[in-house]
Amino acid sequence: MAPIPERDVIGLIHAPLGRDAQIAAALLEEAGLPGKTAPTLDALVAELNENVAFAVMTEEALRSVDLRPFVSWIETQPSWSDLPFIILTARGGGPERNPAAARLSEVLGNVSFVERPFHPTTFISVVRSAMRARRRQYEARARMEALDEGERRLQTALEAGRLGAWELDIATNVLTTSATCRGIFGRGPDDSFTYDDLINAIHPDDVERMKEAVRKTLETGVDYAIAYRTVWPDGSIHGGEIRAQLHRDRAGKPIKLVGVSADITERLQAEEQQRHLNELLEERVAERTRELQEAHRLVLAEVSQRERAEEQLRQAQKMEAIGQLTGGVAHDFNNLLMAVLGNLELLRKHVAGDAKATRLIDGALQGAQRGASLTQRLLAFARRQDLQVGPVNLAGLVTEMEDLLQRSVGSRIAIEVAVPERLPPVSADANQVELALLNLAVNARDAMPDGGTIRIELNEAEQPAGSDTLAPGRYVVLSVIDQGLGMDAETLQKAVEPFFSTKELGKGTGLGLSMVHGLALQLDGRLQMKSAPGQGTTAELWIPVSTADVEDQAHDVAPAGPRDDAGPKRILLVDDDVLIAMSSADMLSDLGHRVVEAHSGREALALIDGGATFDLLITDYSMPGMTGAELAKAARDRVPGLPILLASGYADLPSGVEMDVARLAKPYSQDQLASVLGKML
C-alpha cells in the first residue's frame, strides 16, 4: 500500500460520553493509529480537512444538533475525497429497526456502523478498512494531480507551439477539437466544427491525399503527418499540417485518432516565395548563361573572323610577293625578248633569199612572240600592264564579242548572252576586258568536256559600305556561268594563283584566271568565283561604274613635237641594258636614223647639257639612279617640246607621274617602233 501523506490528524473522535471517546482513542493508539478528540460537533467540523483519514462519532452526538455546517463540508469535498465516517450506535439491524442510522447514511455518505458494545477487534477492523479506503483516495488524488499537471504542461506546450488538439472517434466520426485547432481552419472558439466541416475546409486538390493518409493509418497503424492547403470561410487560402496517432482498445481494435494540427501558412508562403526566388534565380542563371553563350559565340566569331582576316592577309601578302616576283621576272624577260625579237627581225631582212634560214627565223620569232604574250599575262596578274582606262560600254562590248566567243569555244558549246537595257558605262580598258572575257569563256569551255551552255550576264549592283574587298559604290557585274564539273573549296581557293591549273599538262598556262584577277584589282574591282562539285562555276568580274559618258572618252593625243617626215632624225637612245640598247639602235639605224646611245639618265643629260641636239629621246623606264620618267622631266626642262618615247617592260608609271610622252611596251617589233615614230615625227 502507498503510504498516507504526513498529516496532523489520522482519526477524529467525537463522542459526548467520555468513556466511549477514551475507549476509541485507546484502541486507536494501541493499533498505532493516533487520533484527536473533538469535544463538540463544531470542533470536529473545524478540524476536518483533506489530511483527516476518518472520523469516529457516536450516534447520540448527532442528535438534536445543527448538522448543516457538517453536511456543507461533506458536500464541498474535492472530487477525489469521500471521508469515511464510523458511527458507534446502540442499536443494530436494518432501517426499520434503526431509522436514524438510515438518515445518517444519507447525510454522511461513506458511513460504517459499529454496534455497541463492540469487540475491540471489530472496531480496529472497521478502522483499518476505513484507512485503506482513504489511502486509495489519496492515491487517486496523487494520480489526478499528476494528470492535471501533465495536462497543464501539454496545454502550455500546445499553446506555446500554436498547436491545436483534436480527436476523431472512428466509429461515429465525431470530431472533438480545441479552440486553437478550430482557429487553424478559420473558425471561432465557439463555432461548431464537425468532421464534414473538416473535409470541406481542405482544398479540393488536397482532399484525396488527406483521405488516403487516414486510410493508410487505419490499415497499418502507422502514424501519419500530412500538410495541405485549407480554405477558410472567407475564401482565403491557408496551410495546415496534421499529425495523428491511432489509439486501440484492449482488444486491439482501432477506436480513435488523436493528433495535433498546426498553421503552416507562413511556411507555405515562405516556401512559395523561395520557389519563386529559385525560379527567378534559374531564369537569371539561364539568361546569364545565354548571355555568356552569346558572348562566347561572338568571341568565337571574332576569333574566326580574325583568323579569316589573317588568312586573307597572308594570302594577299603571298599573292603580292608572287606578283612582285612575277612582275620583275616579266620585266626582265621582256627586255630579253626585246633583244631577241629585234635581232631576229633584222636578221630576217639579211637572209631574205635563204628559204630555210627564213623559216628558222620565223619559228624563232613565233616562239619569242608567244613568250611576249606570256609576259603580258604575267604583267596582268602582277597588275603592272599598261591600261588605257576610260568609259566603256560593256553591253556593246559583250554583244560585239558574241561571234568571236562562239568561234573560240567551238560548236559543242552554246553561248547565251543576257544584257539589260540602259546599263551604265564602266571605268575599264576595253582591250583588257575583252581579253579577260575570252579567258573566262575558254575556261568555262574546258570545264565542260561533253558540251553545254555558257551564259554571259551583265547586271548592275550596289556595294554597301563595310566590305573587306570592295569599295562602296555602283558596279557592273560581268558573269560567266558554265554547267561544268565545278570545283571544291580547296581548288576554288587556289584558282587565281599563277600557274595553278586543273588541266592536263601542256593544255594551259595557269595564268588565265590570274590575269583576270590582276585586271580586276587594277581596275579597283574584284573577281569573285562561286563553284561546287557537279554544279558548275560562276565567275563574276565586278567593274566600277564610270563617272563619264562613253561619248566623252578622251582619245590619245600625240605629244607635241616637230612634224618633219623628210630625212633621217637624230635620236638619243637611253637604256641601262647594253644588249637591248644595241638591238634597238640597230633597228633605228635600219630605219635610216642616226642614233646616239647613253646607258644612264645622267649620261644622257650630260650629252644635252654639252650642247648636243636631238630630234627625239627614247628612254627605258626602269633604270638605276634615275628612272625614265625623271629623265624625261629633266630633258623637257632643258629642251621644251622635245619629243620623248618612254619604253618599258612594265609600261606602268608610278602614281603621281603625269607626263606628256608617248609610251611603247617592250618587247616591240621594228614595225611597231616605226609606227610610233611616224606618229611622233
Side-chain angles (χ1 to χ4, degrees), residues 10-88:
I10 292 180
L12 276 177
I13 304 172
H14 168 61
L17 301 176
R19 179 176 174 78
D20 292 333
Q22 292 175 0
I23 293 172
L27 291 174
L28 291 176
E29 185 175 358
E30 183 179 351
L33 300 171
K36 186 175 182 180
T37 301
T40 65
L41 183 60
D42 292 337
L44 182 138
V45 173
E47 293 290 344
L48 289 176
N49 57 59
E50 295 180 1
N51 292 328
V52 174
F54 59 87
V56 180
M57 294 179 291
T58 63
E59 184 181 358
E60 293 82 5
L62 299 177
R63 292 175 184 174
S64 303
V65 294
D66 186 5
L67 295 179
R68 285 179 297 178
F70 187 34
V71 173
S72 176
W73 185 91
I74 293 173
E75 290 177 351
T76 58
Q77 292 181 93
S79 59
W80 60 270
S81 178
D82 188 12
L83 182 65
F85 293 98
I86 301 172
I87 304 299
L88 302 178

Side-chain angles (χ1 to χ4, degrees), residues 523-547:
L523 294 176
D524 295 328
R526 73 176 175 189
L527 173 64
Q528 182 171 311
M529 305 288 292
K530 303 176 183 177
S531 184
Q535 299 182 13
T537 301
T538 298
E540 295 180 351
L541 180 59
W542 290 58
I543 306 175
V545 171
S546 175
T547 56

Side-chain angles (χ1 to χ4, degrees), residues 628-642:
E630 293 172 341
L631 173 60
K633 185 176 184 303
R636 281 278 176 85
D637 291 340
R638 290 168 171 77
V639 184
L642 176 67

